[in-house]
Amino acid sequence: MFLSTYYASPSTSSSPSPIFRARALRFASSLSPPPCRTLAPPSCRSTSFSSALRWSRGADSRLRVGLRAQIGAASPALERKIATMGLSKHAASEHPFNGILSGLPRPAGGEFGNFYSLPALNDPRIDKLPFSIKILLESAIRNCDNFQVTKEDVEKIIDWEKSAPKQVEIPFKPARVLLQDFTGVPAVVDLASMREAIKDLGSNPDKINPLVPVDLVIDHSVQVDVARSENAVQANMDLEFKRNKERFAFLKWGSTAFRNMLVVPPGSGIVHQIWELVNLEYLGRVVFNTEGILYPDSVVGTDSHTTMIDGLGVAGWGVGGIEAEATMLGQPMSMVLPGVVGFKLSGKLHDGVTATDLVLTVTQMLRKHGVVGKFVEFYGEGMGQLSLADRATIANMSPEYGATMGFFPVDHVTLEYLKLTGRSDETVEMIEAYLRANKMFIDYKEPQQERLYSSYLELDLAEVVPCISGPKRPHDRVPLKDMKSDWHSCLDNKVGFKGFAVPKEQQEKVVKFSFQGQPAELRHGSVVIAAITSCTNTSNPSVMLGAALVAKKACELGLEVKPWVKTSLAPGSGVVTKYLLQSGLQKYLNQQGFNIVGYGCTTCIGNSGDLDESVSSIIADNDLVAAAVLSGNRNFEGRVHPLTRANYLASPPLVVAYALAGTVDIDFEKEPIGTGKDGRSVVQSSVLPEMFKSTYEAITKGNEFWNLLAVPSSSLYGWDPNSTYIHKPPYFSGMTMDPPGARGVKDAYCLLLFGDSITTDHISPAGSIHKDSPAAKYLMERGVDRRDFNSYGSRRGNDEVMARGTFANIRIVNKLLNGEVGPKTIHIPTGEKLSVYDAAMRYKSAGQDTIVIAGAEYGSGSSRDWAAKGPMLQGVKAVISKSFERIHRSNLVGMGIVPLCFKAGEDAETLGLTGHERYTIDLPAKVSDIRPGQDITVTTDAGKSFTCTLRFDTEVELAYFDHGGILQYVIRNLSKQ
């Protein structure tokens, strides 16, 4: 049965059907009215919520209204001076583009403010630019000072059609920076240690402050320790604060010590908000009005899924924590002017097709098209089919299809969403007026201006079918009708992204055991984790209410999820809770075990908590390929849970369905599950602006845990040498004002030899800390009990733990081990098999350089700074791969690691490299003699020689390399000012 068809038409739902007999699940046609695909305009338009969306960022504290002022009232320690951003009248009068500064009139009289008018340039090339490129252009014009941003840079962007194919470099200054707590902690640690470094160089430590507005949302720390309980939210929050008190206190100190930084507390009020949805529902301005200057919102964030905001028409993408820190400190981002793929949507979605089905189809298409490093811009008459939530789901998955961002220009759907989520009529009126005046608004009711794109794609929405993705990668799409056969192929196939190599005679084995006194059984494909998890899908009322309707019908029919399946519901927003309660559907989810466990990233980032010991032992002792089904966006190996080798991404309704089935080895028949009488009623009546308003007002009140945290008032942090959470990193030890210059690599050993698709989940410390790992040994030596290990993410502020957790993924495949899977390597000089960290330290103590050799797409996945910091601390000097993920390559540069690419058609295998050689990378002695993208010769002690492309892509990156890293570059420059 096709379980996503809870939007089915009457013509497809008339046949009677049995219920859940053996492998078939079919629902009768008596479902409650299904949710609609688009949200009806809410009846309530005007709320006081709008003030929080006009944060000034100026020095005048009277302008600091909304969230910051309210949090300051609840927690006086958060009150602080805000660094002046925006343009003063004097600065505007001297601006190189002052001639196009225009007033934006209010319909009722007066002006909203002034803006830099693109039409006033009277250049026909601008009219044909993609909307996403216009945002870069406006930023360049507004920030043009003929120093950091020059008129030549502006001209490059205007001439995008000719400039983009040449891969020209441009500077970009985003309007704001967004951090979540996992990435925010190391960022604040670095800022704190930078203050000490600049002080040691004889300069003022107060120079180290964010100059770009920074919002840090604490939402990645909650784990699913308690599930299937009415008390799960409070119990998990209590454990969260107990485990993370030291980290939270450090972040609270940062919010008081650094100007222009907002920290949204964990567990705010009754909710713990997910990072992307706070950004989408609350932080996203769409248009700023700062000291009378209007300009488009734009954001970079230390999470690759910052791109969710692109569904709102706000240009945003993920960057490394290192790059974000430099941006916070006023450095313009250096980026290659991207090509833009125009993705046309046409036709109409079939009833029952969800945003998950659409996004997996789009992801597969774009990966085949090749969009790495490019913008994707969606347009076409099919756009009217997509709610804002659908758009955000597609935009959120940009990292999975490889684009810098998937952008949806602002249209009437965007404006309706802004009203739905509580923005005032006046705010929305200003946004629309500005975007129309600057030719950045798209109105599908009007004749369309032809736009130029680098390449074109088109999807007929009628071709989208129900699907899921897995078992090991988000872009391995499987149509639902093919799932059973695909699963059996995976059991047969050799070990790989689509294979487990289970012998035929073992594939049908059933292991019986006792679970809490009840008879139970597991087999290959048994679902042991079913998680409706935060961000991508829980932003979408349609699929969330659809999941609840599946649970409701199951309850009515007497169906139950088996008690050994760990079920959980972790919404991305407290609003989800409110509309599920108001619709009367949450109780049915609870009956099936999908109680709310917390508000934040849980299963999707490995915070799924432990399985019951009886389940864990059965899986481990019998080498079962157990399965997890989740509605998140990541399912890389070892990420969700160490014991779930098969992990599938699915829509929330399908998560419930697979939980009920108890296995992924099932062929759901294609009949619909029912027909609703009114396709709009559930969403329209259950999702209201007041819900968003009251939910986000709750954030401002904080909670007793956060408000009682006592923090020092000093501007320099007092490092605790005994802390296992916060540790002063060694990056700036012995730093002088003289840059170290170019550094070649001589006689380096290969630390690790990889194939294709090594992700940051393989590289970066993530998830639980394995009891036999070097990080566990470190913690136990310092008196930390195993039950208090917490996760790697929670300890990202301690470089000692993170260095030990680098390359520690239990599913990592290192070719030096000849087929063995796990976080070990061969110490080449002795031939010993050691943990990667121990081998790295042995090389490092002997003064021997190391490199990493890899295949294609090295570093794909989340934009984790530790995927670059960790290898640097382990002594890695260079990485040679077939290709890099965009953010990871940038992060390697930021940490002083040399990125190199094999020439087309070549890799370690074709060149006959075994990894047992010693490698010399011949770089010029002076950075001034190096050019971006030049050819570099690599030689081995075995007499082989081959040419690689040096992946310093810009002159600015060469400057970072000259200084030993981007943070050292910033410190030296600020010291001179």
Side-chain angles (χ1 to χ4, degrees):
M1 185 216 69
F2 165 29
L3 277 175
S4 299
T5 52
Y6 49 90
Y7 310 107
S9 62
S11 63
T12 60
S13 62
S14 58
S15 61
S17 56
I19 304 152
F20 224 127
R21 293 177 184 164
R23 298 294 175 90
L25 171 62
R26 223 179 263 171
F27 285 92
S29 60
S30 58
L31 274 175
S32 300
C36 62
R37 291 205 55 79
T38 57
L39 304 183
S43 57
C44 179
R45 297 299 189 201
S46 179
T47 73
S48 60
F49 181 71
S50 62
S51 63
L53 296 156
R54 297 197 300 270
W55 294 349
S56 161
R57 309 284 183 177
D60 187 344
S61 62
R62 292 173 299 174
L63 297 176
R64 307 299 303 165
V65 294
L67 180 60
R68 291 180 189 270
Q70 295 174 59
I71 288 181
S75 179
L78 284 175
E79 295 177 348
R80 68 271 186 200
K81 181 180 177 183
I82 305 299
T84 301
M85 301 300 295
L87 291 162
S88 67
K89 293 181 179 179
H90 175 72
S93 67
E94 298 177 350
H95 195 279
F97 287 91
N98 185 52
I100 64 168
L101 191 62
S102 305
L104 183 67
R106 293 176 183 267
E111 290 186 343
F112 287 112
N114 296 316
F115 71 102
Y116 287 91
S117 171
L118 303 186
L121 288 172
N122 197 28
D123 192 318
R125 293 174 296 176
I126 296 176
D127 293 335
K128 294 187 176 182
L129 288 177
F131 287 97
S132 49
I133 298 300
K134 283 187 175 183
I135 293 176
L136 301 184
L137 175 60
E138 190 282 336
S139 175
I141 289 172
R142 176 168 38 86
N143 290 293
C144 184
D145 59 0
N146 282 327
F147 176 61
Q148 288 187 328
V149 184
T150 67
K151 287 184 176 180
E152 288 74 20
D153 295 319
V154 172
E155 172 58 27
K156 289 176 186 177
I157 302 173
I158 292 175
D159 202 33
W160 170 83
E161 182 183 6
K162 296 179 181 177
S163 300
K166 299 176 184 177
Q167 296 284 287
V168 301
E169 174 190 354
I170 62 164
F172 175 56
K173 286 195 170 186
R176 56 193 174 97
V177 172
L178 188 62
L179 308 173
Q180 39 98 327
D181 54 316
F182 272 14
T183 49
V185 166
V188 179
V189 166
D190 288 350
L191 289 174
S193 57
M194 288 174 73
R195 277 194 170 174
E196 295 196 8
I198 200 169
K199 180 176 180 290
D200 292 342
L201 292 176
S203 192
N204 184 358
D206 287 340
K207 289 181 178 180
I208 303 295
N209 272 302
L211 298 178
V212 172
V214 176
D215 301 310
L216 193 158
V217 182
I218 303 176
D219 79 313
H220 275 55
S221 301
V222 63
Q223 290 187 193
V224 188
D225 294 286
V226 179
R228 290 183 169 233
S229 167
E230 295 288 346
N231 190 46
V233 172
Q234 188 62 45
N236 288 325
M237 190 179 294
D238 290 345
L239 288 168
E240 177 187 7
F241 269 86
K242 179 181 177 181
R243 290 180 179 130
N244 298 286
K245 180 179 179 181
E246 189 175 344
R247 293 173 58 245
F248 292 167
F250 175 69
L251 290 175
K252 189 172 181 181
W253 168 83
S255 71
T256 63
F258 296 104
R259 297 191 301 273
N260 219 15
M261 178 182 289
L262 166 70
V263 176
V264 177
S268 301
I270 62 167
V271 296
H272 186 156
Q273 299 300 319
I274 173 67
W275 184 75
E276 284 100 340
L277 284 181
V278 172
N279 193 19
L280 188 73
E281 296 174 357
Y282 191 64
L283 297 177
R285 280 65 148 191
V286 184
V287 173
F288 269 89
N289 189 345
T290 301
E291 298 180 357
I293 299 294
L294 290 89
Y295 54 96
D297 188 3
S298 58
V299 59
V300 293
T302 55
D303 188 296
S304 53
H305 291 105
T306 304
T307 54
M308 190 173 189
I309 198 67
D310 297 313
L312 195 67
V314 175
W317 58 86
V319 296
I322 306 151
E323 189 175 8
E325 290 170 37
T327 302
M328 288 157 53
L329 292 166
Q331 299 300 306
M333 287 179 53
S334 178
M335 61 182 293
V336 173
L337 188 61
V340 182
V341 177
F343 198 122
K344 184 178 181 180
L345 298 174
S346 59
K348 183 178 181 180
L349 288 167
H350 291 298
D351 289 334
V353 173
T354 69
T356 304
D357 306 320
L358 176 59
V359 74
L360 293 178
T361 303
V362 168
T363 297
Q364 189 177 60
M365 287 182 65
L366 288 169
R367 284 187 64 86
K368 288 181 179 179
H369 189 73
V371 295
V372 174
K374 297 178 182 177
F375 291 174
V376 176
E377 187 165 297
F378 294 89
Y379 69 101
E381 64 273 14
M383 290 284 285
Q385 286 278 295
L386 304 186
S387 69
L388 199 291
D390 292 339
R391 300 177 186 191
T393 305
I394 295 171
N396 184 279
M397 294 288 277
S398 295
E400 279 65 50
Y401 46 80
T404 301
M405 68 175 179
F407 186 75
F408 290 82
V410 175
D411 62 6
H412 286 104
V413 172
T414 319
L415 301 180
E416 290 302 327
Y417 179 82
L418 293 173
K419 294 176 182 178
L420 173 72
T421 50
R423 279 76 158 182
S424 71
D425 285 345
E426 181 184 4
T427 298
V428 176
E429 186 180 68
M430 180 269 291
I431 290 170
E432 182 176 4
Y434 168 79
L435 293 174
R436 283 187 181 276
N438 231 3
K439 300 292 183 69
M440 293 180 173
F441 186 86
I442 187 165
D443 190 336
Y444 288 105
K445 298 176 183 177
E446 299 175 354
Q448 297 301 299
Q449 165 73 49
E450 182 182 355
R451 301 191 183 280
L452 292 171
Y453 293 106
S454 306
S455 58
Y456 296 81
L457 278 175
E458 181 172 356
L459 172 63
D460 182 347
L461 295 175
E463 297 176 0
V464 180
V465 298
C467 54
I468 64 175
S469 177
K472 302 181 183 182
R473 296 189 298 187
H475 52 272
D476 287 334
R477 172 179 170 269
V478 184
L480 197 61
K481 64 183 178 62
D482 300 331
M483 177 57 192
K484 188 176 180 70
S485 60
D486 189 82
W487 169 250
H488 285 278
S489 296
C490 288
L491 291 179
D492 290 332
N493 294 343
K494 67 180 182 179
V495 174
F497 295 116
K498 294 290 289 185
F500 298 105
V502 177
K504 282 284 189 185
E505 64 274 13
Q506 295 291 321
Q507 291 182 12
E508 299 299 324
K509 76 174 177 181
V510 178
V511 183
K512 297 183 181 297
F513 66 106
S514 176
F515 180 82
Q516 298 177 359
Q518 300 181 37
E521 63 180 43
L522 293 176
R523 63 186 72 201
H524 295 300
S526 288
V527 174
V528 295
I529 292 176
I532 303 176
T533 189
S534 55
C535 85
T536 313
N537 282 287
T538 60
S539 69
N540 194 321
S542 292
V543 292
M544 292 301 294
L545 290 164
L549 289 172
V550 174
K552 177 177 185 288
K553 179 51 66 175
C555 292
E556 292 170 351
L557 297 172
L559 305 176
E560 291 184 352
V561 176
K562 295 295 189 293
W564 54 85
V565 180
K566 187 167 188 177
T567 48
S568 62
L569 168 58
S573 168
V575 177
V576 177
T577 302
K578 293 186 176 182
Y579 65 64
L580 285 173
L581 288 172
Q582 180 160 319
S583 65
L585 294 173
Q586 179 63 54
K587 63 181 179 181
Y588 301 109
L589 287 166
N590 292 349
Q591 288 180 42
Q592 296 298 341
F594 288 94
N595 301 82
I596 295 174
V597 297
Y599 298 84
C601 285
T602 52
T603 306
C604 195
I605 59 165
N607 286 356
S608 46
D610 293 333
L611 296 174
D612 186 271
E613 182 59 36
S614 63
V615 175
S616 298
S617 59
I618 289 296
I619 295 172
D621 295 346
N622 294 277
D623 196 26
L624 292 178
V625 183
V629 183
L630 64 153
S631 64
N633 46 34
R634 290 284 165 79
N635 58 340
F636 297 120
E637 292 181 280
R639 181 184 180 102
V640 173
H641 192 282
L643 292 176
T644 57
R645 289 158 63 187
N647 301 284
Y648 286 93
L649 305 182
S651 65
L654 279 176
V655 172
V656 177
Y658 275 109
L660 289 163
T663 180
V664 295
D665 185 8
I666 186 169
D667 183 7
F668 292 129
E669 294 179 2
K670 300 176 183 177
E671 288 78 16
I673 60 177
T675 303
K677 298 177 182 178
D678 179 358
R680 291 181 177 272
S681 60
V682 176
V683 173
Q684 184 174 348
S685 63
S686 302
V687 185
L688 301 171
E690 288 87 349
M691 290 183 177
F692 290 92
K693 178 177 182 291
S694 61
T695 295
Y696 284 103
E697 284 178 348
I699 292 178
T700 68
K701 298 175 184 177
N703 60 77
E704 59 177 331
F705 298 104
W706 178 263
N707 294 336
L708 290 175
L709 284 176
V711 297
S713 58
S714 60
S715 62
L716 294 176
Y717 186 68
W719 306 97
D720 178 0
N722 297 317
S723 172
T724 57
Y725 279 97
I726 306 297
H727 183 264
K728 183 180 178 181
Y731 312 135
F732 313 118
S733 178
M735 180 177 169
T736 67
M737 285 298 293
D738 297 322
R743 303 163 302 286
V745 179
K746 185 172 178 60
D747 291 332
Y749 286 101
C750 179
L751 180 64
L752 294 150
L753 178 63
F754 292 130
D756 294 344
S757 295
I758 292 296
T759 72
T760 48
D761 282 288
H762 293 114
I763 306 167
S764 182
S768 60
I769 298 174
H770 194 274
K771 60 184 177 65
D772 298 323
S773 66
K777 180 181 178 183
Y778 171 87
L779 292 172
M780 287 187 290
E781 287 174 348
R782 283 151 184 80
V784 180
D785 190 270
R786 182 185 169 190
R787 67 175 178 269
D788 296 322
F789 279 1
N790 214 329
S791 64
Y792 279 114
S794 68
R795 295 186 181 273
R796 291 180 80 156
N798 187 310
D799 59 281
E800 296 280 7
V801 173
M802 300 302 280
R804 286 164 171 80
T806 301
F807 298 118
N809 187 296
I810 62 171
R811 300 295 176 193
I812 202 167
V813 178
N814 172 18
K815 291 185 177 182
L816 292 177
L817 296 179
N818 297 318
E820 182 180 341
V821 177
K824 294 185 181 295
T825 194
I826 300 298
H827 181 251
I828 304 299
T830 63
E832 291 182 72
K833 184 169 67 174
L834 302 171
S835 73
V836 176
Y837 175 78
D838 290 340
M841 292 303 101
R842 190 175 292 187
Y843 285 125
K844 197 171 182 179
S845 63
Q848 297 163 334
D849 288 348
T850 55
I851 65 169
V852 170
I853 300 177
E857 298 180 325
Y858 182 75
S860 58
S862 298
S863 55
R864 294 196 175 112
D865 54 341
W866 275 108
K869 287 180 176 178
M872 184 277 290
L873 291 173
Q874 288 187 354
V876 173
K877 303 300 181 185
V879 177
I880 307 175
S881 72
K882 290 175 69 175
S883 62
F884 290 98
E885 191 273 340
R886 175 185 61 86
I887 301 171
H888 183 61
R889 185 206 61 81
S890 174
N891 280 354
L892 290 175
V893 173
M895 293 311 297
I897 295 175
V898 180
L900 296 157
C901 278
F902 291 109
K903 289 296 183 180
E906 294 184 348
D907 57 19
E909 187 174 347
T910 63
L911 293 169
L913 304 176
T914 67
H916 289 261
E917 306 89 349
R918 300 187 74 172
Y919 297 82
T920 295
I921 300 171
D922 187 19
L923 288 178
K926 296 181 179 179
V927 170
S928 58
D929 293 332
I930 304 175
R931 295 289 176 265
Q934 77 178 64
D935 286 346
I936 294 294
T937 300
V938 181
T939 58
T940 74
D941 61 343
K944 292 182 185 260
S945 178
F946 55 97
T947 302
C948 290
T949 302
L950 183 64
R951 287 299 310 277
F952 294 127
D953 289 353
T954 66
E955 294 290 343
V956 171
E957 288 187 345
L958 285 172
Y960 297 157
F961 180 59
D962 185 37
H963 282 260
I966 191 170
L967 299 182
Q968 291 87 341
Y969 171 85
V970 170
I971 288 172
R972 289 189 178 98
N973 278 327
L974 286 176
S975 295
K976 295 174 183 176
Q977 293 177 11

